[in-house]
Amino acid sequence: GQSLEQPSEVTAVEGAIVQINCTYQTSGFYGLSWYQQHDGGAPTFLSYNALDGLEETGRFSSFLSRSDSYGYLLLQELQMKDSASYFCAVSRGGKLIFGQGTELSVKP
Amino acid sequence: DAMVIQNPRYQVTQFGKPVTLSCSQTLNHNVMYWYQQKSSQAPKLLFHYYDKDFNNEADTPDNFQSRRPNTSFCFLDIRSPGLGDAAMYLCATSTGGTQETQYFGPGTRLLVL
């Protein structure tokens, strides 16, 4: 089958750096994406890795290692507004397959 | 601004009473998706259209149907809502490329009484 695993919850303080990991058991996918979803809101696209390595977009970076079946989202200089759920997802067959999501709580 | 619009934002229906949720997009994307999302869970894909080609997920109940009359609009019909169908329903679009970046609407929260 296809599955992606993420920690269910992560807590960090404002200004810190946090890494949200995503391990997967699937093959033949085009790339790994990350989406952010605030409580009551819609998922919004954050980052995409088609190739192994690091992609940087402002305070957010994402990493993929296909050989290790592993990726992560790195959030730097955490702000209170970063409190949200973060989903990793693989692109396959015209669809996204989502992980179960990680709820990030940023404390003052 | 180009966007994905869902109406209504909140929908209350009675057990067994048919309900239709709507989605429109100004992005001119080929693909439109419907997801169901329950609290603290990932979005669950119900079905998607690539242009007019309909693709149903194997575990989507027959109670859920969809229509896409044109590129811009897509509808989700729930023929006989049960209490378990109370959820957020998200519409999304994409160009259909390999990256599959999806653009989500704000969702419709369905309450079944």
Side-chain angles (χ1 to χ4, degrees):
Chain A
Q2 304 166 56
S3 66
L4 295 91
E5 294 194 6
Q6 310 177 228
S8 58
E9 296 178 346
V10 172
T11 300
V13 297
E14 214 172 359
I17 299 172
V18 72
Q19 179 174 312
I20 299 174
N21 297 324
C22 175
T23 58
Y24 56 86
Q25 295 180 10
T26 188
S27 60
F29 64 91
Y30 290 116
L32 184 71
S33 300
W34 288 89
Y35 286 78
Q36 178 193 60
Q37 185 177 29
H38 286 100
D39 193 28
T44 56
F45 171 77
L46 285 178
S47 187
Y48 176 75
N49 293 74
L51 303 174
D52 284 7
L54 193 68
E55 292 285 340
E56 298 181 73
T57 309
R59 294 188 297 115
F60 295 170
S61 303
S62 59
F63 174 83
L64 174 63
S65 170
R66 290 179 186 264
S67 59
D68 296 323
S69 298
Y70 165 73
Y72 66 73
L73 178 69
L74 190 73
L75 297 87
Q76 302 182 73
E77 300 173 17
L78 279 175
Q79 302 175 10
M80 298 296 290
K81 68 179 182 179
D82 297 328
S83 293
S85 292
Y86 293 84
F87 294 92
C88 60
V90 295
S91 310
R92 190 167 189 266
K95 302 182 291 190
L96 285 175
I97 302 165
F98 285 94
Q100 287 304 300
T102 298
E103 185 174 352
L104 172 64
S105 297
V106 180
K107 306 294 185 185
Chain B
D1 289 339
M3 57 179 62
V4 181
I5 302 160
Q6 290 188 245
N7 286 304
R9 295 293 310 278
Y10 299 89
Q11 176 74 57
V12 181
T13 190
Q14 293 178 333
F15 183 95
K17 185 175 181 181
V19 66
T20 295
L21 310 182
S22 71
C23 176
S24 63
Q25 54 131 341
T26 60
L27 297 162
N28 203 32
H29 283 171
N30 295 326
V31 193
M32 295 187 78
Y33 307 81
W34 278 106
Y35 290 89
Q36 179 193 67
Q37 187 177 28
K38 297 188 176 181
S39 182
S40 301
Q41 296 184 17
K44 178 182 181 300
L45 183 64
L46 297 174
F47 22 61
H48 72 282
Y49 278 92
Y50 197 114
D51 292 327
K52 293 185 178 181
D53 292 333
F54 177 71
N55 299 273
N56 196 36
E57 292 301 296
D59 57 354
T60 298
D62 293 339
N63 197 27
F64 292 86
Q65 303 286 319
S66 185
R67 297 169 282 135
R68 189 180 185 185
N70 54 52
T71 300
S72 300
F73 286 88
C74 197
F75 299 97
L76 170 62
D77 301 308
I78 309 176
R79 294 193 295 187
S80 181
L83 298 179
D85 297 327
M88 175 75 86
Y89 290 88
L90 295 162
C91 173
T93 72
S94 78
T95 59
T98 56
Q99 180 173 339
E100 299 297 344
T101 298
Q102 295 189 10
Y103 299 84
F104 285 81
T108 295
R109 185 166 294 282
L110 178 68
L111 180 63
V112 182
L113 300 179

